[in-house]
Amino acid sequence: MLLYIDPGTGSMLFSILIGVIGAGFYSLRMLWIKLRFMISGGKVKENSEKLPFVIFSDDKRYWTIFEPICREMDRRGRDIVYMTASQDDPALKNPYPHVKAEFIGKDNKAFARLNFLNAAIVLSTTPSLDVYQWKRSKSVQYYVHIPHAASDITLYRMFGIDYYDAILLSGDHQARDIRNLEKLRGLPEKELIQIGIPYMDEMAARLERSEAVPEHPLTVLLAPSWGPSAIFSVYGSRILDVLMKTGYHIIVRPHPQSFVSEKILLEKLMKKYPASDQLEWNQDTDNFEVLRRSDILISDFSGVIFDFTLIFDKPVIYTDPQFDVGPYDAWWLKTPLWTSSALPRLGCQLTEDNMEYLREVIDSCLTDPQYAEGRHSVKEETWAHVGEGAIRTADYLLDLYEKLMSTDKARSSDDQDERKN
């Protein structure tokens, strides 16, 4: 009799297999690097001086996450080394005297540097620490993760945040899910700190300083995520056909990863629907202006939904959020995503049944008062300490550093006493 493995278990086993293979490959690679250094009479390069604070960013688009924190730490006169895997990261030209940014190479070259890092605290939004290529350095005392969206913390690939020491959170629903994952996997409890959302604080303050949007035709922003459950994979060109028929101005802003993982699909769509007076393709690194001048957003499970609706106070249209959670941490919990309860309060769901009536759906979302009330309740659940995110993050990092240094001092004192005895 053939054995049956359900899709969720299959996805989990596949993720574990890939992790094991990746870890084995990387271990062999690092062994070769060490042997090569020894044969040449050298040794593995490692910083001799411990860096107090390091930020690692795997992509330039995360500068918006880290800049408010860097600015606050700079204001307090605390030095940070900002390591980026993007050669054109705006952080490399940052104006803060206490923030030293450096390009450390892409992919494995970056991880090779990080894996021998000597630092007290590393702050990053990159998942999968100690799962694939990025290994915990023996000379780093504490790894702190900050999410790059206000949605579910369990929408990382499996084991994405398991091996961080601390997670900076924006809402209670994230803490609940992390604790449940820890229990299921038999993991020690991580430190969970609710600090809010620094980058959303920044966007909200920027919006407050901005002038009113000039008069413009009603504008619909289509901003899908990427992957088999995303809008373009599910609906293909049909969604653009229907949008063009509304007569509204359309902005299409694909996820940056789509240009890497779905390049052929995007090239076909951009060729079939070239830029025109009615339609524009947007690839700005900074999404502030495109969000500000759009009246309504259509998306799937992208975190941009929460940026758009909670900061700019506008409605959304979303696709079915019940996508395949097999490859994600959410699969382990067997409970509905928090996002699934939040989206109906923020706008209308796009379905096969109402696709042909999309203009009417758009008009309804823009005028129905229930969605304004829903935005308020969702904001209370997922955006704690509005306006205080960077300050609270800096407070936490500095307090943590003092604790680590006190522990080091006490341990050093104990070692000296033992040597004397």
Side-chain angles (χ1 to χ4, degrees):
M1 183 176 70
L2 294 174
L3 293 175
Y4 170 74
I5 298 178
D6 65 86
T9 303
S11 295
M12 178 187 71
L13 293 175
F14 182 75
S15 295
I16 293 172
L17 177 62
I18 292 299
V20 170
I21 293 171
F25 175 80
Y26 190 78
S27 297
L28 290 172
R29 185 175 184 276
M30 295 314 298
L31 177 61
W32 166 245
I33 290 173
K34 291 180 181 179
L35 288 172
R36 191 174 63 184
F37 269 91
M38 288 189 288
I39 291 169
S40 65
K43 59 181 181 178
V44 176
K45 185 178 179 181
E46 188 171 337
N47 292 330
S48 58
E49 183 179 349
K50 185 177 288 291
L51 301 170
F53 304 98
V54 172
I55 290 176
F56 168 59
S57 175
D58 62 80
D59 192 276
K60 63 182 179 181
R61 66 181 180 271
Y62 297 128
W63 175 237
T64 58
I65 306 291
F66 293 117
E67 183 179 15
I69 299 167
C70 287
R71 185 172 60 245
E72 180 62 24
M73 292 288 279
D74 179 76
R75 188 183 69 80
R76 302 187 192 197
R78 304 307 294 261
D79 292 334
I80 289 179
V81 174
Y82 191 102
M83 297 183 174
T84 175
S86 290
Q87 201 162 7
D88 57 346
D89 195 318
L92 295 168
K93 297 180 180 179
N94 82 81
Y96 310 117
H98 292 279
V99 180
K100 178 187 176 185
E102 56 179 299
F103 171 60
I104 60 171
K106 299 171 74 83
D107 303 323
N108 284 339
K109 186 175 181 181
F111 293 127
R113 173 76 179 277
L114 293 167
N115 293 350
F116 294 103
L117 188 63
N118 186 10
I121 300 169
V122 173
L123 173 68
S124 181
T125 192
T126 305
S128 298
L129 171 67
D130 226 24
V131 177
Y132 296 117
Q133 296 99 321
W134 186 18
K135 303 301 180 184
R136 288 181 63 106
S137 169
K138 294 179 180 179
S139 300
V140 170
Q141 291 173 270
Y142 223 77
Y143 286 90
V144 182
H145 178 78
I146 182 168
H148 58 262
S151 53
D152 294 82
I153 196 74
T154 56
L155 290 180
Y156 288 122
R157 295 280 171 168
M158 281 192 187
F159 321 115
I161 55 173
D162 279 6
Y163 304 110
Y164 274 93
D165 299 296
I167 314 288
L168 305 181
L169 303 177
S170 65
D172 290 336
H173 63 96
Q174 296 171 329
R176 179 189 65 242
D177 287 346
I178 290 173
R179 291 294 183 235
N180 287 336
L181 279 175
E182 290 169 342
K183 290 176 183 176
L184 284 167
R185 294 174 179 168
L187 296 170
E189 287 194 350
K190 287 175 278 294
E191 188 178 7
L192 304 182
I193 310 92
Q194 194 177 91
I195 54 94
I197 314 176
Y199 84 89
M200 286 180 66
D201 293 337
E202 189 79 359
M203 290 183 76
R206 186 176 172 186
L207 180 62
E208 203 169 298
R209 297 191 301 268
S210 300
E211 297 179 357
V213 179
E215 194 170 325
H216 63 285
L218 195 146
T219 300
V220 180
L221 173 62
L222 176 64
S225 189
W226 65 281
S229 300
I231 284 177
F232 283 146
S233 295
V234 174
Y235 294 108
S237 63
R238 185 181 169 203
I239 182 72
L240 292 174
D241 283 335
V242 175
L243 278 172
M244 294 297 284
K245 290 176 183 176
T246 65
Y248 294 142
H249 185 71
I250 310 301
I251 303 174
V252 186
R253 181 181 169 83
H255 191 283
Q257 187 61 35
S258 291
F259 291 97
V260 178
S261 301
E262 302 171 324
K263 185 178 179 181
I264 295 176
L265 171 63
L266 281 187
E267 286 176 349
K268 288 180 179 178
L269 290 173
M270 294 177 79
K271 184 177 181 179
K272 185 176 180 181
Y273 303 93
S276 64
D277 290 341
Q278 186 187 1
L279 183 143
E280 59 179 290
W281 292 85
N282 181 276
Q283 299 181 51
D284 296 344
T285 301
D286 182 0
N287 66 2
F288 179 81
E289 283 301 326
V290 73
L291 295 180
R292 192 171 79 100
R293 62 190 177 93
S294 299
D295 298 294
I296 190 168
L297 168 71
I298 300 177
S299 189
D300 33 52
F301 47 89
S302 172
V304 74
I305 285 177
F306 296 99
D307 297 353
F308 183 80
T309 193
L310 300 185
I311 296 171
F312 296 88
D313 196 25
K314 299 172 184 176
V316 298
I317 295 172
Y318 59 93
T319 56
D320 183 2
Q322 301 302 320
F323 65 101
D324 178 20
V325 297
Y328 304 96
D329 276 330
W331 178 87
W332 288 71
L333 297 181
K334 307 300 184 185
T335 53
L337 294 170
W338 173 82
T339 301
S340 299
S341 72
L343 291 179
R345 291 178 277 166
L346 301 175
C348 299
Q349 182 177 336
L350 180 66
T351 66
E352 287 286 351
D353 293 335
N354 65 14
M355 172 77 81
E356 296 302 322
Y357 307 98
L358 188 52
R359 179 177 175 121
E360 288 79 4
V361 175
I362 290 170
D363 294 343
S364 173
C365 282
L366 289 168
T367 56
D368 194 328
Q370 69 170 311
Y371 299 123
E373 298 171 7
R375 291 194 291 274
H376 177 73
S377 66
V378 170
K379 185 175 181 179
E380 285 191 333
E381 292 173 11
T382 197
W383 190 358
H385 312 299
V386 175
E388 303 175 12
I391 293 171
R392 287 176 175 269
T393 301
D395 286 345
Y396 167 71
L397 294 175
L398 294 173
D399 287 347
L400 174 60
Y401 182 73
E402 292 303 318
K403 290 176 184 176
L404 294 175
M405 294 305 99
S406 296
T407 300
D408 282 353
K409 187 175 181 180
R411 187 181 294 118
S412 176
S413 178
D414 290 342
D415 290 343
Q416 289 178 6
D417 290 342
E418 284 184 14
R419 284 195 293 270
K420 288 178 183 177
N421 295 332

